[in-house]
Amino acid sequence: MTTTRVPGVAAEVIAVRPGPPLTGTVTVDGSKNAALPLVAAAAALGCPVRLNNIPANTDVQTMLALLQESGWHVAQPVGKPTAAVILPTENQPVRPHLPQAARIRASYYLVPALLARHGEARLPWPGGCRIGARGMDLHFKVYEAFGDRSVLDDSGYRVAAARRRYGTVSLVLPFRSRGATVAALLRAVTTGRPLRLGEPNLSPEVLYVLEALQAAGWETRASERLLTLSPPLSAPGPHRTHALGRQHACTVTTACGRAVYDQPPWTGWGGSRS
């Protein structure tokens, strides 16, 4: 196949002309948009979780680095460059300072996990989005439904966790926001409360998160009008692995309730031995 640049036009144009047939195989990377909320879900679950087929993407690497700075351990299984194991640590939590969260829009997915670990989430306004500014007002409405308090200023936002509450959280989204749907799911997980969410977003990225929560023992039901999430009735059993969708966005292995992982050794993210 040959390509020819066509001069004399305002915008650059690439003309593609037929050539010999293409043959061979291509390995498709995992989806960045699916991996980012799954990384946040792994942190929210509070148990060892292995993610496979993670794309080699700057946003995903930044997300994993944010977790490490926030008190989670991110390990890479030896010989598995596209896998990561996310484990909670027993170190005394220190409220993290995360200015690099401004580099990616998906940093807001970390709020529920940060609330569970530190009692608050302090983050700069998310960036890295070429589409332009998109408000987070609906995210804060979700946290308000759980009793959390939000304070906003020009540099970022702070969400403070409410005291322990019980009972089902019910709310209806005014529009089908993917970010707000993920926020509601992960906040339900970190509070251990049932959720009834009206008008949810059921994009593939949200469905992958639901599958991951199911693997950890949560009961989920989803329709176009209502999404429900219920905590596990008992402690999760042995870890299990499942593929998330035909796009193979990621494969998740959960090991909730297990003290050790079954595939050592691994290296710390970035290559150092842990």
Side-chain angles (χ1 to χ4, degrees):
M1 178 178 292
T2 60
T3 62
T4 304
R5 295 191 179 275
V6 180
V9 293
E12 184 180 72
V13 176
I14 298 178
V16 180
R17 298 177 177 174
L22 296 177
T23 60
T25 59
V26 176
T27 300
V28 179
D29 288 342
S31 164
K32 178 202 75 170
N33 288 339
L36 290 168
L38 284 171
V39 169
L45 282 168
C47 61
V49 175
R50 172 170 167 159
L51 300 175
N52 295 315
N53 200 25
I54 296 177
N57 175 270
T58 301
D59 285 7
V60 176
Q61 303 306 310
T62 299
M63 195 79 155
L64 293 170
L66 290 172
L67 279 187
Q68 288 204 121
E69 294 189 28
S70 302
W72 281 266
H73 179 64
V74 180
Q76 182 178 4
V78 172
K80 302 289 184 180
T82 62
V85 179
I86 299 172
L87 308 97
T89 64
E90 297 180 359
N91 298 336
Q92 183 67 25
V94 177
R95 289 189 178 95
H97 179 57
L98 303 171
Q100 69 274 33
R103 300 175 185 172
I104 60 172
R105 180 158 188 83
S107 58
Y108 54 52
Y109 286 136
L110 295 177
V111 170
L114 292 173
L115 291 176
R117 183 169 180 84
H118 301 285
E120 70 171 18
R122 292 178 180 264
L123 290 168
W125 292 112
C129 181
R130 295 183 179 180
I131 296 176
R134 287 177 284 171
M136 289 182 59
D137 291 349
L138 197 49
H139 294 233
F140 301 128
K141 291 291 185 183
V142 167
Y143 298 129
E144 182 181 328
F146 284 88
D148 304 322
R149 294 177 291 106
S150 303
V151 178
L152 319 179
D153 60 33
D154 291 341
S155 63
Y157 59 97
R158 173 181 177 267
V159 182
R163 292 184 178 181
R164 180 72 174 174
R165 298 186 180 188
Y166 301 92
T168 300
V169 176
S170 299
L171 69 153
V172 178
L173 299 180
F175 58 91
R176 300 179 188 275
S177 164
R178 180 174 68 192
T181 299
V182 173
L185 290 171
L186 299 189
R187 193 62 182 125
V189 168
T190 57
T191 58
R193 298 174 66 182
L195 172 69
R196 290 178 58 86
L197 184 66
E199 304 299 323
N201 179 293
L202 296 179
S203 61
E205 294 82 1
V206 173
L207 296 180
Y208 297 145
V209 171
L210 288 175
E211 290 188 33
L213 298 183
Q214 288 175 335
W218 286 74
E219 181 180 338
T220 67
R221 294 179 182 273
S223 67
E224 186 175 332
R225 301 299 298 273
L226 181 66
L227 187 159
T228 64
L229 184 68
S230 300
L233 296 177
S234 59
H239 72 278
R240 67 214 93 176
T241 304
H242 65 286
L244 297 182
R246 288 180 293 177
Q247 296 181 23
H248 300 293
C250 260
T251 304
V252 175
T253 303
T254 63
C256 295
R258 293 170 64 89
V260 296
Y261 222 80
D262 69 336
Q263 293 193 22
W266 48 60
T267 62
W269 200 256
S272 61
R273 178 75 63 180
S274 64

